[in-house]
Amino acid sequence: MLTKILLSASSLLLAHVRHFLCSLMQFIPGLKHYLPSPPREQIPCHCPKGLQCISPLVQTVEETPQPIPAKVKGHIPNWIHGNLLRNGPGKFEFGNDNYNHWFDGMALLHQFQLEKGTVTYRSRFLQSSSYLTNSHHNRIVVSEFGTLAMPDPCKSVFERFMARFEMPQPSDNASVNYVLYKGDYYVSNENVFMYRVDPETLETKEKVDWSKFIAVNGATAHPHYEPDGTTYNMGNSYGKHGSSYNIIQVPPQKSGCGAVLEGAKVLCSITPRDKAKPSYYHSFGMTENYIIFIEQPIKLNLLQIITSKLRGKAILDGISWEPQYNTYFHVVDKHTGEVLPGQWYTKPFVTFHQINAFEDSGCVVLDLCCQDDGTSLAMYKLQNLRRSGEGLDKVYASVPRAFPRRFVLPLNVDSETPVGENLNPLPYTSAQAVKEADGKVWCTHENLHPEGFEKVGGLEFPQINYSRYNGRRYRYFYGCGFGHLVGDSLIKVDVETKNFKIWQEDGSYPSEPVFVPVPNATAEDSGVILSVVVSPAENRSAFLLVLDAETFRELGRAEVAVRMPYGFHGIFTAH
């Protein structure tokens, strides 16, 4: 009993000492490098009431470089041949340095290989310069989205002071998605770098710098693809005359032994409404003939971002939600690069992922996952995701929900178009578009969900039968229901009837659903949904879930006895 009392007293004393030292860190920033991190097994993960603690889903895991067999339960259709490739953060500290934000974690690449009803799994950390440099120094040397790298504690006080005046170097931690250019697979973030990856071995190949080929400072991790392999993307450029949004076109094939981005060109540039504070964007829409860019009031303060290191702040500090501004839609003819003269706008909202877009009767129909509040980026700090009990419930209650919405943009608006009338001619949608006296068109959305859908907590990570229906009128999309800070269900939505189907299992957190069509299918939803499902419980294996896309019933699962973190995006590569 005395031993227990002494141990308890020692633990309490150490906690108070650490709290005192941590309070000094605001005055002595370098002190953190001399404080030991708490043992990770001591991170609390119990939730006596409310939401289940998901802290294990945002903790560092080990890679599994050699393929291991998965235990199949149920039935994996024999016609599925290929790899489900996934990307996302998997390492959240180096030495005693810890990342602050979920987006900062080092890229961990996953592969589920499906062949004749069997499944194997492997994973590898992307061998980026950021990962290798941090590993070599055993501390965070390269700053990330929400984490500012501190100066080397071994340098003199003067050297550490002067280091703050150096321009921040962009990270090459490509942790968001897999993208395809000219038949090769790359992992991408939203910065200027991406890496080619072998989809069979997950081996890191060459590093690609967008700025070496085209005048952009980065590109999104959600490009669009034409059937012939032509790829469209968007990237910002920043110069002495201000910033611009650039639509990029990459040709479908390599010419001889040329580099991957050879032949890429800026199709057109769009001037931001505020050149010093352009909008943040994560994706865009594409129809058969048009690119649709959404300029939203979540702003990049370029001065704050450029001076972030000097001010001792991370990039995240330079991003702000400014709802005093409306959201604008820009439509570009992707064949000519012409920006259409119309001005379409709506109330302030934020979208990270577009669902689909298509043309009908002189209009562009645009479907998006929308949030009415743009503060969610700041909410996904690791300290929030790792909370439990009432603290976790409060974080979730403050996170904006995303819901699917449809907008209609009438393209043929001129001086003869009547003012004050709904210009939407489409009978299947209640979205409105009304020309105002100044010539602008005010757009009011239609909800792509029924009453009561809010109970699922919101929907994100939308996917469709992309190869056949991207840019075309469609009926179904799939996504993750967000009844938690990460996805806790899978949902199929019928945009015509507003009905939806849901897959959910207590304590399970499924990733973005990836649609794989049945060979020679004729129905839009003839295929399967693949999703990686993880759990914070120690006694539950992660597994690859296979759902029938039509009925949304489980066909089978392939369990893997390794820990996996919750990730972002991925693709299926057919063999």
Side-chain angles (χ1 to χ4, degrees):
M1 178 62 71
L2 178 60
T3 302
K4 290 184 178 180
I5 293 174
L6 289 174
L7 286 173
S8 298
S10 298
S11 298
L12 183 62
L13 177 61
L14 287 172
H16 281 298
V17 170
R18 182 173 181 83
H19 181 270
F20 172 71
L21 291 174
C22 288
S23 66
L24 291 179
M25 285 169 56
Q26 60 181 312
F27 304 107
I28 314 174
L31 186 61
K32 63 174 286 187
H33 298 284
Y34 302 98
L35 293 177
S37 298
R40 292 189 183 96
E41 61 270 17
Q42 292 182 8
I43 295 176
C45 191
H46 61 281
C47 195
K49 59 180 179 178
L51 296 174
Q52 180 183 24
C53 178
I54 57 168
S55 179
L57 305 185
V58 286
Q59 301 283 351
T60 295
V61 300
E62 299 293 327
E63 62 181 1
T64 307
Q66 298 303 319
I68 60 174
K71 181 180 179 181
V72 174
K73 293 182 178 179
H75 170 65
I76 308 294
N78 288 330
W79 58 264
I80 308 176
H81 298 285
N83 299 325
L84 176 66
L85 303 176
R86 296 272 304 153
N87 196 355
K91 184 174 177 60
F92 298 95
E93 69 286 313
F94 286 92
N96 290 329
D97 288 359
N98 297 277
Y99 288 117
N100 299 323
H101 201 280
W102 187 24
F103 299 173
D104 298 344
M106 294 290 100
L108 180 62
L109 313 180
H110 308 260
Q111 176 209 72
F112 287 85
Q113 189 170 84
L114 296 89
E115 194 77 26
K116 296 180 179 178
T118 65
V119 179
T120 60
Y121 169 80
R122 76 165 88 204
S123 65
R124 282 187 170 183
F125 281 107
L126 177 69
Q127 301 297 293
S128 64
S129 297
S130 297
Y131 177 85
L132 295 174
T133 302
N134 293 337
S135 297
H136 175 73
H137 292 278
N138 196 32
R139 66 182 185 88
I140 296 174
V141 178
V142 183
S143 297
E144 297 291 343
F145 176 73
T147 304
L148 177 68
M150 298 300 293
D152 187 346
C154 296
K155 291 183 176 181
S156 68
V157 173
F158 177 75
E159 288 174 323
R160 293 200 299 271
F161 173 75
M162 292 303 297
R164 291 190 177 275
F165 293 88
E166 299 171 356
M167 284 293 292
Q169 297 301 309
S171 169
D172 61 353
N173 178 35
S175 61
V176 175
N177 202 2
Y178 276 85
V179 295
L180 191 62
Y181 292 101
K182 299 185 179 181
D184 286 329
Y185 293 91
Y186 298 80
V187 286
S188 173
N189 205 325
E190 295 181 330
N191 52 39
V192 75
F193 303 113
M194 61 182 182
Y195 278 90
R196 186 166 71 89
V197 172
D198 186 327
E200 299 301 323
T201 66
L202 301 184
E203 182 182 356
T204 302
K205 299 294 186 179
E206 70 268 19
K207 180 176 178 178
V208 178
D209 183 342
W210 276 94
S211 66
K212 301 293 185 184
F213 299 90
I214 196 168
V216 294
N217 296 96
T220 81
H222 292 285
H224 278 293
Y225 309 101
E226 296 277 25
D228 69 353
T230 300
T231 305
Y232 291 88
N233 209 333
M234 289 197 63
N236 281 5
S237 61
Y238 312 115
K240 61 181 180 180
H241 300 296
S243 58
S244 64
Y245 312 115
N246 302 300
I247 296 174
I248 307 163
Q249 183 187 66
V250 182
Q253 297 295 331
K254 294 180 181 178
S255 56
C257 297
V260 61
L261 294 178
E262 182 179 348
K265 65 178 182 179
V266 171
L267 189 65
C268 81
S269 294
I270 301 170
T271 302
R273 303 187 71 80
D274 184 345
K275 289 186 177 183
K277 297 172 70 176
S279 291
Y280 169 80
Y281 57 91
H282 187 72
S283 66
F284 60 98
M286 186 177 82
T287 69
E288 183 180 355
N289 296 296
Y290 301 104
I291 299 290
I292 304 94
F293 166 60
I294 302 99
E295 187 174 18
Q296 54 195 5
I298 182 167
K299 302 287 190 176
L300 305 175
N301 188 315
L302 298 183
L303 180 60
Q304 287 188 5
I305 291 174
I306 292 171
T307 61
S308 59
K309 192 172 182 180
L310 175 63
R311 297 183 301 110
K313 300 289 186 179
I315 294 172
L316 174 61
D317 185 66
I319 301 177
S320 59
W321 167 237
E322 302 187 9
Q324 67 269 31
Y325 300 107
N326 290 313
T327 296
Y328 281 79
F329 303 98
H330 301 272
V331 182
V332 177
D333 186 317
K334 70 182 185 185
H335 306 296
T336 66
E338 175 192 7
V339 181
L340 271 61
Q343 292 193 60
W344 304 268
Y345 74 122
T346 189
K347 68 178 185 178
F349 73 80
V350 167
T351 180
F352 294 102
H353 301 107
Q354 65 91 33
I355 303 169
N356 199 7
F358 58 92
E359 302 161 35
D360 193 355
S361 303
C363 298
V364 163
V365 180
L366 180 64
D367 296 346
L368 309 166
C369 288
C370 301
Q371 301 175 9
D372 289 325
D373 187 301
T375 58
S376 59
L377 286 175
M379 298 307 300
Y380 278 88
K381 294 179 180 179
L382 287 168
Q383 65 181 23
N384 290 331
L385 291 170
R386 290 171 177 171
R387 292 184 189 275
S388 62
E390 292 183 4
L392 182 62
D393 293 345
K394 289 180 180 178
V395 171
Y396 178 70
S398 64
V399 173
R401 310 286 187 265
F403 292 101
R405 295 173 179 172
R406 169 165 288 179
F407 294 88
V408 172
L409 313 179
L411 302 182
N412 303 315
V413 178
D414 55 29
S415 59
E416 303 300 319
T417 303
V419 173
E421 296 182 10
N422 182 15
L423 305 179
N424 171 24
L426 306 175
Y428 53 81
T429 174
S430 61
Q432 296 188 12
V434 177
K435 180 185 173 183
E436 299 181 324
D438 60 1
K440 295 181 181 178
V441 178
W442 177 263
C443 300
T444 305
H445 70 266
E446 173 197 16
N447 288 327
L448 287 181
H449 58 80
E451 294 292 331
F453 187 81
E454 291 79 5
K455 294 179 181 179
V456 305
L459 185 147
E460 260 292 358
F461 296 154
Q463 289 287 322
I464 63 170
N465 182 343
Y466 189 94
S467 60
R468 289 191 57 191
Y469 289 90
N470 186 61
R472 301 178 177 92
R473 186 175 173 182
Y474 72 116
R475 182 167 180 176
Y476 305 108
F477 72 89
Y478 313 87
C480 282
F482 272 68
H484 206 301
L485 289 170
V486 297
D488 69 340
S489 65
L490 294 170
I491 298 174
K492 175 185 180 180
V493 177
D494 184 330
V495 300
E496 293 184 4
T497 67
K498 307 291 181 65
N499 293 330
F500 66 96
K501 298 177 180 178
I502 189 167
W503 179 94
Q504 193 166 27
E505 190 172 273
D506 286 346
S508 293
Y509 299 89
S511 70
E512 170 190 62
V514 174
F515 180 87
V516 182
V518 171
N520 304 314
T522 56
E524 178 182 342
D525 58 351
S526 181
V528 297
I529 292 296
L530 302 180
S531 177
V532 179
V533 183
V534 294
S535 173
E538 292 185 4
N539 60 346
R540 298 185 64 179
S541 296
F543 58 91
L544 174 65
L545 174 67
V546 183
L547 299 179
D548 182 296
E550 180 182 1
T551 65
F552 229 52
R553 294 174 181 168
E554 179 174 337
L555 298 175
R557 59 179 64 185
E559 296 180 345
V560 182
V562 299
R563 286 183 56 220
M564 297 181 202
Y566 195 89
F568 296 141
H569 300 289
I571 57 174
F572 181 79
T573 67
H575 285 167

